[in-house]
């Protein structure tokens, strides 16, 4: 690669300079930067910044990649950096890496810089670009999708951490022949960030929900109807909360907390699992804390999820299963507009090694529309 300054997408990509060192120090001392770049020196000093500008970045250029400062075209001040790393010449492949300074975040700079650098790299002979992100780094995954990188796989234990452990990374890639523009998502964000009917509110599961979710998923009757029927430990719960948005962005599942709108207290959870994209079928499941049962919250939550799924996604059919003895859950589904379709013998594993039957319910969009259009009695 040459050291050409690239002006595109409203950003300037230029070679780093010694005068950028103070901004590099400030950005690399930021807790969020250090969280997702755990091998940065701590404390990060001006000497570290100058070494990186004069030696580290230079090494990338010599290896066929490069490192650019992402600068504001109006002021030329450094707003972040972006680079082509780990070049594999025989494959015409490189890895895109970037960080954005705290004073420049929230303006779409990372996406603009990634789009600009990708076009520049493809024009100079690269055929495939990769972008790797921690599963917990939702912002970086949003950048990848917005810049046209498709999610490919999770690479286990690929990144070393400061304590000697290794971290999983999710891999995205963009090919020279891929269409321009963002990657279409199977499960879009909720409008306004939540769904509500005034009685219950559904919001995405997130870090901070660990205590609530641990209590909910360790209820004996919830464990008994889970697959597998094993109570999750706190580490598993923490990972589920931390990585829930990664699963959402991947289009695999949408995990939601059922909140009592009046008090703001979490009452249960509901999940949508898009397990059959080719046929447009998804599954739902839900659970309530004992103190919130009997108030009709699950029925409201199911209807809210169904309305969103049919209106905003390619989902054409929702299914749900219940234990044959779980009359309460069956009533929830029937009230929400689901119809019973079948009885599956020995479908699910039980905690004691046996298998249990499952009653299948399903809903299509016309079921929900006819129900919401029907006059109240």
């Amino acid at each position: 690669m040459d050291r050409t300054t690239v002006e595109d997408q409203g950003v300037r990509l230029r070679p780093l300079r010694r005068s950028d060192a103070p901004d590099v120090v400030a950005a690399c001392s930021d807790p969020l930067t250090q969280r997702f770049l755990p091998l940065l020196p701590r404390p990060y000093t001006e000497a570290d910044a100058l070494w990186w500008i004069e030696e580290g970045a230079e090494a990338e250029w010599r290896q066929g990649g490069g490192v650019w400062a992402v600068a504001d075209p109006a002021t030329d001040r450094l707003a972040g950096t972006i680079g082509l790393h780990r070049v594999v010449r025989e494959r015409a492949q490189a890895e895109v890496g970037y960080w954005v300074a705290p004073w420049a975040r929230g303006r779409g700079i990372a996406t603009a810089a990634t789009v600009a650098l990708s076009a520049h790299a493809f024009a100079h002979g690269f055929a495939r670009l990769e972008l790797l992100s921690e599963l917990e780094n939702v912002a970086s995954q949003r950048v990848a999708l917005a810049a046209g990188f498709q999610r490919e796989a999770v690479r286990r234990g690929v990144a070393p951490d400061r304590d000697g452990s290794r971290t999983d990374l999710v891999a995205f890639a963009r090919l020279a022949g891929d269409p321009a523009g963002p990657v279409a998502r199977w499960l879009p964000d909720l409008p306004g960030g939540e769904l509500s009917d005034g009685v219950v509110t559904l919001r995405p599961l997130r870090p901070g929900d660990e205590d609530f979710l641990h209590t909910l998923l360790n209820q004996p009757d919830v464990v008994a109807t889970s697959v597998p029927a094993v109570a999750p430990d706190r580490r598993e719960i923490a990972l589920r909360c931390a990585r829930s948005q990664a699963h959402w962005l991947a289009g695999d599942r949408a995990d939601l907390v059922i909140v009592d709108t009046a008090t703001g207290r979490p009452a249960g959870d509901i999940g949508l699992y898009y397990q059959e994209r080719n046929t447009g079928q998804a599954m739902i499941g839900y659970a309530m804390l004992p103190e919130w049962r009997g108030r009709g919250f699950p029925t409201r939550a199911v209807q809210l999820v169904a309305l969103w799924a049919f209106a905003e996604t390619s989902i054409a059919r929702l299914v749900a299963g219940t234990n044959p003895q779980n009359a309460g859950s069956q009533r929830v589904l029937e009230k929400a507009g689901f119809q019973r379709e079948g009885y599956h013998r020995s479908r699910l594993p039980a905690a004691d090694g046996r298998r249990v039957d499952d009653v299948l319910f399903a809903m299509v969009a016309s079921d929900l529309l006819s129900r919401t259009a029907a006059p109240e009695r």
Side-chain angles (χ1 to χ4, degrees):
M1 292 291 289
D2 58 31
R3 299 173 187 247
T4 304
T5 294
V6 178
E7 301 245 7
D8 191 15
Q9 305 294 315
V11 295
R12 173 179 297 156
L13 309 184
R14 60 165 174 77
L16 286 158
R17 306 168 183 152
R18 286 181 60 89
S19 58
D20 292 321
D23 281 338
V24 171
V25 172
C28 291
S29 299
D30 175 68
L32 186 60
T33 305
Q34 293 193 345
R35 177 186 172 192
F36 293 117
L37 295 174
L39 299 185
L40 284 175
R42 299 182 188 180
Y44 195 92
T45 66
E46 184 173 0
D48 295 318
L50 289 173
W51 176 89
W52 186 63
I53 292 170
E54 296 178 342
E55 298 186 42
E58 286 299 313
E60 298 288 353
W61 291 107
R62 290 194 298 271
Q63 292 166 13
V67 177
W68 288 259
V70 182
D72 183 338
T75 65
D76 203 41
R77 183 187 179 185
L78 181 140
T81 69
I82 191 167
L84 292 175
H85 312 284
R86 299 177 179 85
V87 174
V88 184
R89 294 178 185 271
E90 61 270 25
R91 296 182 180 175
Q93 174 181 304
E95 180 183 321
V96 176
Y98 55 80
W99 53 257
V100 176
W103 54 87
R105 291 173 186 156
R107 293 157 44 188
I109 285 175
T111 299
T114 302
V115 171
L117 181 57
S118 298
H120 184 64
F122 291 143
H124 284 74
F126 283 92
R128 174 182 166 88
L129 299 177
E130 293 189 346
L131 193 159
L132 305 181
S133 169
E134 294 83 352
L135 285 161
E136 295 80 4
N137 193 344
V138 177
S140 185
Q141 293 170 55
R142 288 183 179 276
V143 167
L145 294 171
F149 284 66
Q150 297 184 35
R151 190 183 196 268
E152 290 191 337
V154 174
R155 297 182 180 172
R156 297 183 301 134
V158 71
D161 211 334
R162 296 182 72 87
D163 61 3
S165 63
R166 300 190 70 85
T167 302
D168 298 345
L169 297 180
V170 57
F172 296 82
R174 181 174 175 84
L175 306 183
D178 284 345
V183 173
R185 287 174 50 190
W186 292 96
L187 296 175
D189 295 330
L190 301 181
E194 63 182 28
L195 303 173
S196 182
D197 64 359
V199 177
V200 301
T201 297
L202 308 184
R203 62 161 177 81
L205 181 73
R206 61 197 181 204
D209 289 324
E210 291 85 358
D211 289 343
F212 149 72
L213 194 62
H214 185 268
T215 300
L216 174 66
L217 298 186
N218 278 267
Q219 296 296 317
D221 58 342
V222 175
V223 173
T225 56
S226 299
V227 181
V230 178
D233 59 23
R234 287 196 172 272
R235 180 181 179 279
E236 184 179 344
I237 292 292
L239 282 175
R240 180 168 171 177
C241 291
R243 296 178 173 181
S244 60
Q245 288 301 293
H247 289 297
W248 195 311
L249 290 173
D252 298 331
R253 59 190 287 173
D255 287 306
L256 297 154
V257 177
I258 303 172
V259 177
D260 173 40
T261 304
T263 64
R265 293 174 57 194
D269 79 339
I270 184 168
L272 181 143
Y273 313 93
Y274 206 168
Q275 85 279 40
E276 287 190 25
R277 294 175 185 168
N278 289 340
T279 66
Q281 176 173 290
M283 180 176 67
I284 63 167
Y286 46 83
M288 297 295 298
L289 288 169
E291 59 267 33
W292 293 98
R293 296 173 186 172
R295 306 189 189 196
F297 281 16
T299 299
R300 292 177 177 274
V302 169
Q303 289 179 325
L304 285 170
V305 169
L307 281 168
W308 171 72
F310 290 139
E312 302 293 335
T313 78
S314 58
I315 293 169
R317 173 179 161 88
L318 289 172
V319 298
T322 74
N323 186 288
Q325 283 73 49
N326 193 344
S329 185
Q330 294 173 36
R331 283 196 297 271
V332 165
L333 294 170
E334 289 169 346
K335 288 180 183 178
F338 278 69
Q339 297 183 31
R340 176 170 168 159
E341 285 196 344
Y343 191 100
H344 296 173
R345 295 180 299 147
S346 296
R347 179 172 182 267
L348 302 174
D352 56 6
R354 298 180 301 108
R355 297 190 68 84
V356 296
D357 300 343
D358 186 51
V359 180
L360 177 68
F361 288 78
M363 172 192 282
V364 297
S366 58
D367 295 334
L368 187 62
L369 293 173
S370 62
R371 191 169 190 84
T372 56
E376 294 185 5
R377 296 181 180 178

